[in-house]
Amino acid sequence: MGVGIRDSWEEIKMKTIGFPISHKENENRRALLPEHIINIEHPECLWFETGYGKILQIEDDEFVKCGAHVCSREEALTKDIICDPKVGDAEYLEQLNEGQTIFGWVHATQNYDITEKIVQHGLSAYAWESMYEKGRHIFWRNNELAGEAAVLHAYQCWGEMPYRTKVAVIGRGNTAGGAIKILHMLGASVRQYSRSTEELFKEELPMFDVVVNCVLWDVKRKDHIITKEDLKHMKKGALIIDVSCDKNGAIETSVPTTIESPTYKVEGIMHYVVDHSPSLYYKTFSYENSQLLYRYINQLINETCGSTLQNALIIENGNIVDNDINVFQGREK
């Protein structure tokens, strides 16, 4: 009897995790796949919305066979933790209740509206963008994929092959690395710039056919790397690929776009600002993401979060714990 009571107590202590299907346009990435659920200590704590794996040709019963549950969207959204790659953009944030937790890309620092929803509803948030191990971002391959996917898609929209173009890439992180890899493979002439060479870049801007921005913008800055006035000095019909997608950030004229409508022109310069380009290659992302994520799913279920998750907790029960959010959004703790 004593053992049964303890087992029951332990089950109550376990956190449940809901996996809803994203309603964001063309967002087909999935967080966790059956082949990696076998590594979850308590798969019975996982609740997947009906049809969760359909886009990947994974049937519901494959999740059930692993010990997880398949349920309605409404039920998935009642779980302790909601896991969704684009959770920060989710339309259901205002449907969640005090005490629930979101786990995915949040980007609350740069987005006041997202922060307000999380705070007002008393939610906690673990942000994928803040998850690091030994100094390297956990999702570094997704960042590379963002650069790769954006370059491939933008050039297709532009109607040009890279081998005919001279390209400037701003940034030295994983996203820039992905962009440069594809550009080199397809024969483009590439010159890379960092934050320390912004002035040199501005001086050399007129020589490029394409500019790829991979710098996550510091919202404390009030200037821009490329201003609207600078567009007049670019080559006629040039292309800007803003992989970072910070609205009016490094590129003053950047406004996030969608996969369905990825480009627009300002001063004759085409802008590509799709804010979830890795979803174009959702099969690649879903597998690579899933094989990384299961270990953190285990920690969240068991409430045994290590330093990677602890440092990624940016909002706790409606209270902001990441001071960058306070600084960037002009708040006071």
Side-chain angles (χ1 to χ4, degrees):
M1 181 175 178
V3 173
I5 291 174
R6 179 170 176 79
D7 288 346
S8 176
W9 174 79
E10 288 181 344
E11 288 178 8
I12 292 172
K13 187 179 179 183
M14 299 297 175
K15 293 291 187 179
T16 56
I17 304 184
F19 295 82
I21 297 171
S22 176
H23 284 180
K24 184 177 176 68
E25 172 261 352
N26 277 308
E27 181 51 71
N28 296 319
R29 290 175 288 182
R30 298 294 182 261
L32 191 62
L33 307 180
E35 61 194 286
H36 299 121
I37 293 177
I38 60 174
N39 299 302
I40 302 293
E41 295 170 8
H42 294 278
E44 70 276 9
C45 294
L46 307 178
W47 298 75
F48 294 87
E49 180 180 345
T50 301
Y52 187 80
K54 186 175 181 181
I55 192 71
L56 301 171
Q57 291 78 54
I58 298 173
E59 300 299 328
D60 287 342
D61 63 1
E62 294 184 53
F63 291 96
V64 175
K65 288 176 182 177
C66 294
H69 303 274
V70 172
C71 61
S72 67
R73 181 178 184 81
E74 290 72 24
E75 186 170 6
L77 291 175
T78 66
K79 303 309 169 187
D80 298 317
I81 301 165
I82 308 302
C83 182
D84 178 358
K86 293 297 286 185
V87 70
D89 292 342
E91 84 291 344
Y92 55 72
L93 281 183
E94 293 180 302
Q95 300 174 34
L96 302 182
N97 297 312
E98 184 175 346
Q100 286 184 280
T101 296
I102 58 174
F103 183 48
W105 276 298
V106 183
H107 296 299
T109 303
Q110 288 82 16
N111 195 313
Y112 183 86
D113 291 338
I114 290 173
T115 304
E116 284 299 291
K117 289 176 184 178
I118 298 171
V119 170
Q120 288 176 3
H121 289 269
L123 306 178
S124 296
Y126 288 94
W128 287 3
E129 63 270 18
S130 299
M131 290 178 67
Y132 287 84
E133 275 192 5
K134 298 178 181 178
R136 184 170 75 174
H137 190 213
I138 290 297
F139 299 102
W140 65 272
R141 257 305 284 142
N142 178 79
N143 298 338
E144 276 195 344
L145 185 59
E148 294 164 354
V151 165
L152 288 170
H153 192 206
Y155 268 87
Q156 183 181 31
C157 295
W158 195 41
E160 184 71 87
M161 289 295 289
Y163 57 73
R164 287 173 48 88
T165 59
K166 188 167 186 177
V167 186
V169 175
I170 312 170
R172 292 194 176 276
N174 294 314
T175 304
I180 290 171
K181 178 169 66 174
I182 294 298
L183 289 165
H184 279 160
M185 289 174 66
L186 296 177
S189 173
V190 181
R191 186 170 296 185
Q192 189 174 15
Y193 299 86
S194 65
R195 295 175 189 269
S196 63
T197 55
E198 286 180 18
E199 289 304 314
L200 176 63
F201 163 73
K202 291 174 74 72
E203 181 181 310
E204 297 180 344
L205 177 61
M207 71 172 65
F208 297 109
D209 304 292
V210 178
V211 174
V212 184
N213 175 52
C214 302
V215 173
L216 182 63
W217 195 238
D218 181 348
V219 296
K220 291 180 292 185
R221 290 182 59 170
K222 302 304 180 184
D223 61 340
H224 311 278
I225 297 177
I226 298 179
T227 66
K228 183 176 181 181
E229 183 64 24
D230 290 331
L231 301 183
K232 298 176 182 178
H233 305 295
M234 294 181 68
K235 283 188 177 181
K236 182 179 180 181
L239 169 66
I240 292 175
I241 306 173
D242 193 353
V243 191
S244 295
C245 301
D246 295 314
K247 183 178 180 181
N248 310 129
I251 316 297
E252 183 180 14
T253 47
S254 276
V255 178
T257 59
T258 65
I259 290 173
E260 289 294 331
S261 183
T263 65
Y264 60 90
K265 290 185 178 181
V266 179
E267 300 289 349
I269 305 301
M270 180 175 284
H271 291 55
Y272 174 96
V273 200
V274 173
D275 69 352
H276 59 138
S277 58
S279 190
L280 289 161
Y281 298 93
Y282 58 89
K283 294 180 181 178
T284 299
F285 168 87
S286 296
Y287 178 82
E288 294 188 356
N289 183 81
S290 180
Q291 68 177 345
L292 288 172
L293 205 59
Y294 72 82
R295 69 194 73 175
Y296 303 106
I297 295 291
N298 268 328
Q299 293 177 23
L300 289 168
I301 289 174
N302 294 312
E303 294 190 275
T304 56
C305 296
S307 60
T308 297
L309 279 174
Q310 290 172 14
N311 293 333
L313 180 63
I314 60 171
I315 300 174
E316 185 173 18
N317 297 322
N319 297 306
I320 297 171
V321 296
D322 180 356
N323 195 51
D324 282 346
I325 297 176
N326 292 293
V327 172
F328 289 170
Q329 297 185 4
R331 297 166 176 267
E332 293 183 0
K333 275 195 166 183

